[in-house]
Amino acid sequence: MNATVRFGRFEFRPATRRLLADDVAINVGARAFDVLQVLISRRDRIVAKDELLELVWPGLEVEENNLHAQVSLLRKLLGANAIKTIPGRGYQFVADVDAEPVPAAAARAPVSIAVLPFTSLGPGTADDYLLDGLTELMIASLAQGSSMRVIARTSSMAYKRSPKRVRDIAAELGVDHIVEGSLGREGNRIQVVVQLVHARTETHQWAQTYTREFRHLLPLLGEIAREVSAAVCGRLTAAESPRFTDPLALSDEALESYLRGRYFWAQRTTQSLHRASEAFSACVAASPDFAPAYGGLVDCQVVLALYGCEPPLGAAALADRHLARALALGGDSAEVQAASGSVRLFFHWDLPGAEQNYLRALSLNPSYTKTYLAYGDLCIMRGGFEEGLRLIHEAVRLSPFDLGLSMNVGDFLIFSARFDEAARQLERTLEREPRFVPARWRFAEALAFAGLGQAARSQVRQILEASAPAPRPCEQLPFIQALTGDHREARKELQRLESERQRRYVSAWPIARTYAVMGDADNAIRWMQVAFDERTPMMLFAGVHAAFDPIRGDPRFDAMLRHEGIPSPDVRKARA
C-alpha cells in the first residue's frame, strides 16, 4: 500500500513513512508505524495478533505486550476509537477513511532550509551574543512550520564568518534554501536585513529590511518567519499559521539577558550552563511572564544533573518550580513540551508521561533535535535500540555538524552493545575535532568493550597528557581501568572518588558501574542503591548498559530495578 490515506484530521503517507494531523507531521516510532500500516491495509477485516507480530517483527520472538504497547501508543495519537480490540482474536482499524485514496506522488516532501549566522551591519554594532542569539531564535521560529525541515543551530554556526559560497554551503548541509541576515543596533533601535536565497541558483527569492525598537525583536522574528515560510512554501497551512504567534515583547534588559542565556546555553559546558542559568534568572526577574526563559532554566537543571555536576534532587526541585511557571504561562510550545518531557523522564522517571510530551513536541516542531535525542534516550532505556538509533540519526540529519550529536550516536551504539561500530563512529567524531575530550573518553570506552584494551589505554593517556592537572579525581578513569583488566588501579581511583564525595557532589553512577563491570556485585548493588536514593538520572540506563552484564543474573539486581521502576528488557534479544 503506497497511496496516502486520509481519516478524520489525519493523513497516513506510507510512501514517505509520515503521519500527519492537521497537516502537521507527528513523530511515530517505526514499530507503531508498521502496526498502523498493516491495520490500515487490512482494514476490511480483523488482523490476528500472531499475524501482526509476524509482519511487524519478522523472524523475531516478541512478547505480545510489545504489540499491545504499540497499539496503545497509536490510540493516544489517533484517539481511542480508531483501533478496535476484538477479544481473543486481534485488532481492526475502524476509523472512517476517505473514499478516494490520495496518490503517493501527491505527498509533498518538506522543503529544507538553513539559517546562516547573522552578521553585523557595521563594525561594533552588534555583539556576538546578540548575533548568535538572533540566529538561534530565527531557526526556532522557522522550525514551527511543519512544511520545512530546518537545519539546527550547531551546524549552521559552523559557517560563522565562512567565505564559502551559498551553493557550496547548501550542498554540504543538503538544503534547498538559505536564509542570510544582518543586524545593526544603535541604542534602543535595531535594523534587521533578511534575504532568502535559492541554493542551487544562488538567486534571491525574497528580501526585506526592518527597523524596530530593540524590545520588539522577538515579535519581529515571528513576522519574518511567517514571510519566509510563505515565500518558501507558497502558503501556510491552516494548522501552521497560528504557530507563528508573536511572543511577548520584553524590556531591553530582559531581552539582553535572554539572548545571553541562549548564547551560554549553546556552549553546553558546566561553566556556561551556570552562566546561562544566571542570565535566564535575570530575564525572568525583569519579565516574570516570559515562558521561554523559564524553559531555559529547566533545560539547564536537567543537563547539569545529567552531567553529574549538580545533586539531582536539588536540580529536580528547581526544574519543577520553573516548569510549573512555564506551563502556567502557556506551555504548548515544542521547547516547553520537550523540557516537560525531560523533567518527567530524568527527574521523575515517568517514561509514559515523557513520551507523550516528546510526541507533542515533535508534532509542534519536527526539526527540534533536542527532542529526537531525549526521545531516543527513552527508547534505549526500554531496549528499543533500533528505534533509538533511528531517532538520533534523524537528529544528525537535521544537524550534520553537531559534534555532540555525533558523539551521542556512539553512545547509543555502546548501549546497543555494537562496540566496533561505536568505536568507528567516535573515531570519525574525533577526526573532526581531536580536542573533544568527552568523545575521546567514549572512544576509550568503546575500544575497551570491544576487547582492545591497549588502544583504550592509549586514548586515556592522550587525555591525561593533554589536560592540565585536575583538582579532583577523574570520574571516567576507574571505569576504563576496570574494563581493561586493571582492577587494582580501578579500586584505588574508586577510593579517591568515594573520599571526594565527602567534600563535593560526586555522582554514584560511575562508582556503581565500575564495581559492576568488575563483577563485584556486593559493592555494585550498594552503590546502585546510593544512586537510586540520589535519583541519579543515568541509573535509568542500568537495565540496558553492558557495564551491568556481569551482575545481571544476581537476583538483587533485578529486584532493585523492579522496585525502582527501571525498565529491564531482555537485552540479549533486544541487542540481537
Side-chain angles (χ1 to χ4, degrees):
M1 182 189 77
N2 287 319
T4 295
V5 175
R6 290 181 178 143
F7 53 99
R9 52 191 282 265
F10 298 98
E11 192 170 292
F12 181 75
R13 299 178 177 177
T16 55
R17 292 187 66 81
R18 301 182 77 213
L19 176 66
L20 289 80
D22 298 325
D23 296 324
V24 177
I26 300 175
N27 190 68
V28 60
R31 298 297 190 191
F33 190 95
D34 292 341
V35 169
L36 183 58
Q37 184 164 5
V38 171
L39 291 174
I40 290 178
S41 66
R42 292 160 171 76
R43 58 186 179 274
D44 58 337
R45 64 180 176 85
I46 298 167
V47 184
K49 293 178 181 178
D50 288 344
E51 183 180 356
L52 272 166
L53 289 169
E54 179 58 34
L55 290 169
V56 177
W57 290 273
L60 296 176
E61 294 183 14
V62 179
E63 296 179 1
E64 191 176 298
N65 60 1
N66 287 308
L67 174 59
H68 176 72
Q70 302 305 321
V71 173
S72 296
L73 173 60
L74 290 171
R75 284 175 171 151
K76 291 176 186 176
L77 294 172
L78 307 176
N81 297 323
I83 300 172
K84 184 178 181 181
T85 300
I86 313 300
R89 299 180 65 186
Y91 301 99
Q92 185 171 10
F93 184 82
V94 293
D96 291 333
V97 172
D98 287 1
E100 293 296 326
V102 181
R108 184 179 66 179
V111 175
S112 54
I113 192 167
V115 179
L116 295 187
F118 271 64
T119 59
S120 180
L121 276 172
T125 61
D127 295 325
D128 269 359
Y129 80 88
L130 181 55
L131 296 171
D132 291 358
L134 180 58
T135 305
E136 180 178 358
L137 293 173
M138 187 74 257
I139 291 169
S141 295
L142 284 172
Q144 294 177 87
S146 64
S147 299
M148 292 187 294
R149 180 175 68 88
V150 186
I151 294 296
R153 174 196 183 279
T154 306
S155 290
S156 290
M157 293 305 295
Y159 295 97
K160 190 173 184 177
R161 302 184 182 93
S162 172
K164 292 184 177 180
R165 292 180 58 176
V166 165
R167 180 187 302 170
D168 297 329
I169 293 173
E172 291 176 5
L173 292 173
V175 297
D176 307 306
H177 303 272
I178 293 286
V179 172
E180 294 181 308
S182 52
L183 170 71
R185 181 181 181 187
E186 185 174 346
N188 65 350
R189 301 288 290 176
I190 57 171
Q191 186 176 54
V192 179
V193 179
V194 183
Q195 52 192 6
L196 176 68
V197 183
H198 185 262
R200 183 173 55 82
T201 62
E202 293 187 317
T203 57
H204 289 79
Q205 295 180 276
W206 170 89
Q208 189 63 269
T209 299
Y210 306 85
T211 302
R212 298 284 194 278
E213 291 186 10
F214 179 64
R215 64 191 182 91
H216 291 133
L217 176 60
L218 296 183
L220 172 60
L221 289 175
E223 180 182 338
I224 296 172
R226 280 192 295 271
E227 295 190 28
V228 170
S229 298
V232 168
C233 304
R235 64 180 180 85
L236 298 179
T237 67
E240 285 178 310
S241 188
R243 293 184 179 192
F244 295 104
T245 54
D246 293 341
L248 187 69
L250 303 180
S251 67
D252 288 6
E253 176 189 358
L255 182 55
E256 291 262 11
S257 297
Y258 181 67
L259 291 172
R260 286 186 187 278
R262 300 312 314 172
Y263 176 76
F264 289 123
W265 157 257
Q267 297 172 28
R268 298 292 205 286
T269 66
T270 303
Q271 183 181 12
S272 72
L273 288 167
H274 283 299
R275 295 187 71 179
S277 290
E278 292 171 1
F280 289 137
S281 295
C283 177
V284 298
S287 289
D289 296 331
F290 188 53
Y294 291 101
L297 285 167
V298 172
D299 289 338
C300 288
Q301 293 304 316
V302 170
V303 177
L304 284 167
L306 279 170
Y307 282 5
C309 303
E310 295 289 339
L313 290 172
L318 287 172
D320 282 339
R321 190 168 75 235
H322 298 316
L323 179 62
R325 185 62 179 151
L327 292 170
L329 291 168
D332 202 24
S333 70
E335 292 77 11
V336 173
Q337 286 295 315
S340 182
S342 292
V343 167
R344 279 178 154 180
L345 179 61
F346 295 112
F347 287 146
H348 300 297
W349 300 0
D350 174 11
L351 276 67
E355 184 171 41
Q356 290 179 11
N357 284 124
Y358 292 145
L359 290 170
R360 179 59 181 160
L362 287 172
S363 72
L364 291 167
N365 182 350
S367 296
Y368 198 28
T369 56
K370 178 191 156 191
T371 311
Y372 287 103
L373 172 59
Y375 192 15
D377 280 332
L378 188 154
C379 292
I380 292 288
M381 293 168 191
R382 289 173 167 169
F385 299 121
E386 290 303 320
E387 180 64 6
L389 284 165
R390 185 189 70 79
L391 288 164
I392 190 64
H393 282 302
E394 178 63 21
V396 170
R397 189 171 72 90
L398 290 164
S399 189
F401 297 152
D402 190 321
L403 286 171
L405 289 176
S406 179
M407 180 183 70
N408 293 141
V409 175
D411 286 335
F412 281 29
L413 288 166
I414 290 174
F415 284 128
S416 306
R418 292 158 62 170
F419 304 123
D420 291 334
E421 291 179 60
R424 289 193 293 272
Q425 171 66 30
L426 292 161
E427 187 173 28
R428 288 192 292 270
T429 302
L430 288 165
E431 285 172 355
R432 289 161 52 188
E433 177 46 79
R435 296 169 297 179
F436 190 21
V437 173
R440 197 166 295 280
W441 277 116
R442 300 318 201 278
F443 186 32
E445 184 175 324
L447 290 169
F449 269 125
L452 301 173
Q454 184 174 348
R457 288 189 289 271
S458 173
Q459 294 301 315
V460 172
R461 282 195 299 272
Q462 288 187 53
I463 296 170
L464 299 179
E465 290 170 0
S467 304
R472 63 189 194 187
C474 180
E475 295 169 19
Q476 297 98 326
L477 180 58
F479 185 67
I480 304 299
Q481 291 171 328
L483 264 179
T484 56
D486 195 350
H487 291 190
R488 181 178 177 180
E489 288 301 315
R491 289 182 183 278
K492 287 183 181 179
E493 288 295 326
L494 287 173
Q495 289 174 2
R496 293 177 65 195
L497 281 180
E498 293 174 30
S499 174
E500 188 73 8
R501 278 175 57 88
Q502 306 303 314
R503 294 183 290 277
R504 66 174 179 92
Y505 173 70
V506 175
S507 172
W509 162 258
I511 301 175
R513 73 170 188 156
T514 302
Y515 279 122
V517 85
M518 291 192 291
D520 185 342
D522 291 341
N523 276 315
I525 296 294
R526 177 167 65 91
W527 280 100
M528 283 179 66
Q529 188 59 62
V530 174
F532 281 133
D533 291 343
E534 294 177 350
R535 302 295 284 183
T536 304
M538 288 302 296
M539 288 305 297
L540 287 160
F541 295 97
V544 298
H545 201 297
F548 294 92
D549 285 358
I551 67 167
R552 204 169 294 281
D554 190 305
R556 295 173 296 174
F557 177 81
D558 293 330
M560 183 174 288
L561 293 187
R562 285 196 302 271
H563 182 267
E564 300 293 342
I566 303 299
S568 183
D570 186 336
V571 290
R572 290 177 301 174
K573 285 184 179 180
R575 294 171 185 164

